[in-house]
Amino acid sequence: MLCARLTNARFLTMDPDHPVAHDLGVWRGRIVGLDAAVTSLPAREVIDLQGATVLPGFIDAHVHLAWTGFKQRTPSIAGHTRVDDALAAIDEAVTREGTPGAWVSIAGYDQRALGRHLTAAELDRVSHGRKLYVTHDSGHGCLVNSAVLDLLPADVPHEDGFLAEGAMGAARALRLPYSQEELAEAIGRAARVCLTEGVTACAEAGIGGTLLGHGPLELGAYQLARDRDLLPLRVQLMVSADRLRPVAAHRDDGIPRALDLGLRTGLGDGRLSVGALKVFTDGGMMARTAALTRPYEGLDHAGQLQDDPDVLAGTIVDGHLAGWQLAVHAIGDRAADVALDALERAQRLRPRPGARHRVEHAGLIRPDQLPRLARLGVSVVVQPSFLRHFGDDYAAIMGEERAPWLYRGRAFLDHGIPLVGSSDRPVADGSPLRAVQFMVERASGSGRTIGPDEGITVAEALRAYTVAGAFACHWEDDLGSLTPGKRADLVVLGDDPTRVDPSRIGAIEVVATYVDGRVAGNSTR
């Protein structure tokens, strides 16, 4: 007997052998059959989906759950466009913090909205004896007041209180880490939001590191969240590469650096597992720290690498030698050069054709870099919503020649490069449907078309959030398509994204999200 039979729906299976179905059977959390194979079987529960469209649960291959959960509870200055208003909002948040000398966190900082960066001196006027830490929306910088600057080593660089990249890590290190309890609750809050958007699996993009990590026990916090039933979806954890350290391994292993006990990609189960090793090579476009080969339009610099290119390459090679899948953060084209050079070197030293290395973001990829990506067999994990929200700004700072190369779609697919969709939440909107719409239309929020030749079809965009995401995370045996034998992770939609005008895709209602054949999180049914 089936545990459940879902009927009266249009199942878009993403399986070319059975692309559309009307019935789906579930037994013990897995899909056991479609259509005629299950319609006559008895079931404990028959669920009439009333003509809805059903897809495999969306896979968001690059997120920051803990950061998302904390941001939801952090005072924010987002939306303010005047310096005085932003400072007044900070003043109000600080006043609510009753402990003199305490740290106060502020979210939603983006200097572009204000026309310039705030300064440490301005923060001093509204800090009331507290230590202020204002997080840049990109995650690649922060603004602090003099009370924090006074605690930093003298060699930590900053611009009137703004600390970028590694300098930000120095400020983060001054604070006590979050407790596992706090982390687990934040992770749970973010996971519930993911479910409302149809996301049933995601990859957390970097735990344990100085840049975006949240403490030395972060993996344990995810285990705690799972133990307490706060983790209602599947999560794969990328580990920050700065956790690698020299090991005295046997010379036959050829592993110069590793994590303790030889931990690497693959440990875990279908709910919580260890994924790729996350390597940062540059910063972000929002903070103007993505590393380019030519300067930003209107600026006298071309961003920055996170470290000396040889040091970065060494980390990438050592991670490969240690058996990791690599997720190399490379937004600017110069950073992509560093990543490609290192990955090519790593594969020469120890060929691993099935490594499934990834380039995270691939924000600006020159035409000459496309064949190199293809030869390496890497996936590119893009964030379409970056251009949907920030496209006007990004196009302006790249200039007419480079703007069409931003967050490509068609060029990757035409070169045979696996295209994977993600959000990088909370940096940008997490909705896969709104991202799919952008991938087709290539239109920013203002309606400006950016790189129209990079537009792809609706079917290709949906594949980026299902089949391709599963492959990039080594989940293809269980997730990505509605195929018998796979997990019954589904998203029920109020309309069919392949049949509506593309301009309506982002507004399609997520009616329900199923994990292991059961409704998970919020549902309108």
Side-chain angles (χ1 to χ4, degrees):
M1 176 179 285
L2 298 174
C3 294
R5 178 164 59 85
L6 282 63
T7 188
N8 188 19
R10 177 175 164 83
F11 293 91
L12 304 181
T13 68
M14 306 305 293
D15 182 349
D17 293 333
H18 195 147
V20 181
H22 53 75
D23 275 39
L24 181 145
V26 179
W27 186 69
R28 293 189 176 181
R30 290 189 179 269
I31 300 166
V32 295
L34 302 167
D35 295 344
V38 297
T39 51
S40 61
L41 295 179
R44 294 194 186 99
E45 184 179 17
V46 177
I47 302 170
D48 184 345
L49 293 176
Q50 303 174 27
T53 297
V54 182
L55 281 158
F58 295 129
I59 296 170
D60 191 336
H62 185 119
V63 303
H64 301 280
L65 290 181
W67 178 15
T68 299
F70 285 124
K71 188 174 181 179
Q72 292 172 9
R73 299 288 180 88
T74 300
S76 176
I77 57 172
H80 291 296
T81 58
R82 297 178 63 250
V83 168
D84 288 347
D85 292 340
L87 292 171
I90 294 172
D91 193 339
E92 181 180 353
V94 171
T95 301
R96 290 197 298 268
E97 173 55 60
T99 307
W103 287 85
V104 177
S105 295
I106 305 292
Y109 177 55
D110 185 347
Q111 83 285 356
R112 299 171 305 170
L114 300 172
R116 65 169 176 86
H117 276 297
L118 301 177
T119 68
E122 288 172 326
L123 293 187
D124 291 345
R125 297 201 297 268
V126 295
S127 57
H128 303 288
R130 278 73 168 180
K131 303 178 188 72
L132 278 181
Y133 186 98
V134 184
T135 302
H136 195 269
D137 271 345
S138 67
H140 288 273
C142 67
L143 185 70
V144 299
N145 63 347
S146 297
V148 177
L149 292 177
D150 290 344
L151 300 175
L152 291 171
D155 60 349
V156 174
H158 69 90
E159 296 183 11
D160 290 329
F162 184 75
L163 299 100
E165 308 302 341
M168 178 184 72
R172 287 168 60 90
L174 296 172
R175 307 182 66 173
L176 284 174
Y178 291 103
S179 71
Q180 289 194 66
E181 188 82 37
E182 291 173 307
L183 276 166
E185 291 176 356
I187 291 162
R189 286 194 296 271
R192 291 190 292 273
V193 173
C194 291
L195 287 174
T196 67
E197 296 170 342
V199 175
T200 58
C202 62
E204 167 67 44
I207 65 168
T210 57
L211 190 62
L212 293 176
H214 290 87
L217 305 179
E218 197 164 3
L219 191 152
Y222 277 87
Q223 291 180 290
L224 179 63
R226 175 180 172 166
D227 292 345
R228 297 196 175 174
D229 202 24
L230 298 173
L231 200 62
L233 42 67
R234 307 182 196 284
V235 177
Q236 189 175 90
L237 303 172
M238 300 184 207
V239 179
S240 181
D242 57 18
R243 304 300 297 177
L244 289 177
R245 63 183 188 182
V247 293
H250 193 284
R251 64 184 181 184
D252 290 349
D253 291 331
I255 298 176
R257 283 190 286 173
L259 265 68
D260 287 344
L261 305 178
L263 178 71
R264 61 177 174 84
T265 304
L267 184 69
D269 57 25
R271 274 289 182 151
L272 182 63
S273 60
V274 175
L277 187 73
K278 177 74 176 295
V279 183
F280 286 93
T281 64
D282 70 344
M285 288 187 188
M286 195 187 308
R288 307 318 195 222
T289 54
L292 311 178
T293 51
R294 303 200 321 257
Y296 291 88
E297 289 288 317
L299 299 177
D300 60 357
H301 69 86
Q304 65 189 75
L305 295 171
Q306 292 284 356
D307 210 325
D308 181 87
D310 290 339
V311 172
L312 296 171
T315 299
I316 291 169
V317 170
D318 286 354
H320 174 88
L321 295 177
W324 286 90
Q325 178 191 24
L326 297 172
V328 184
H329 168 114
I331 292 184
D333 60 329
R334 183 184 176 206
D337 282 334
V338 171
L340 291 168
D341 289 346
L343 290 170
E344 287 171 349
R345 176 183 160 200
Q347 291 286 16
R348 285 196 303 269
L349 289 172
R350 182 175 298 170
R352 288 175 53 209
R356 298 194 196 178
H357 296 323
R358 309 161 35 148
V359 173
E360 308 298 302
H361 307 297
L364 187 75
I365 297 296
R366 302 187 310 270
D368 64 286
Q369 293 172 321
L370 294 166
R372 297 183 68 192
L373 286 163
R375 286 194 300 270
L376 279 166
V378 301
S379 295
V380 289
V381 183
V382 300
Q383 297 74 40
S385 287
F386 279 15
L387 289 192
R388 181 172 169 267
H389 289 287
F390 317 131
D392 293 348
D393 174 63
Y394 285 10
I397 60 175
M398 289 301 107
E400 185 176 351
E401 179 187 7
R402 292 181 293 183
W405 306 343
L406 287 164
Y407 294 91
R408 293 174 179 270
R410 172 55 53 204
F412 290 139
L413 293 178
D414 285 352
H415 281 79
I417 301 164
L419 176 65
V420 182
S422 71
S423 68
D424 203 15
R425 74 175 75 223
V427 178
D429 176 15
S431 165
L433 286 171
R434 287 191 283 272
V436 164
Q437 179 176 326
F438 174 82
M439 295 173 88
V440 176
E441 295 183 322
R442 300 286 299 185
S444 70
S446 72
R448 177 177 179 173
T449 303
I450 301 168
D453 292 342
E454 293 295 333
I456 61 177
T457 68
V458 174
E460 291 167 332
L462 292 173
R463 182 180 176 85
Y465 277 91
T466 53
V467 176
F471 182 81
C473 297
H474 293 267
W475 278 329
E476 72 274 12
D477 290 340
D478 284 326
L479 307 175
S481 65
L482 304 182
T483 302
K486 294 191 177 185
R487 298 282 183 183
D489 291 4
L490 326 163
V491 56
V492 182
L493 302 178
D495 214 332
D496 184 343
T498 68
R499 290 183 168 181
V500 302
D501 188 276
S503 64
R504 293 177 50 204
I505 293 174
I508 292 175
E509 178 190 8
V510 174
V511 177
T513 305
Y514 285 71
V515 176
D516 284 331
R518 298 178 179 179
V519 174
N522 295 329
S523 171
T524 59
R525 282 194 188 272

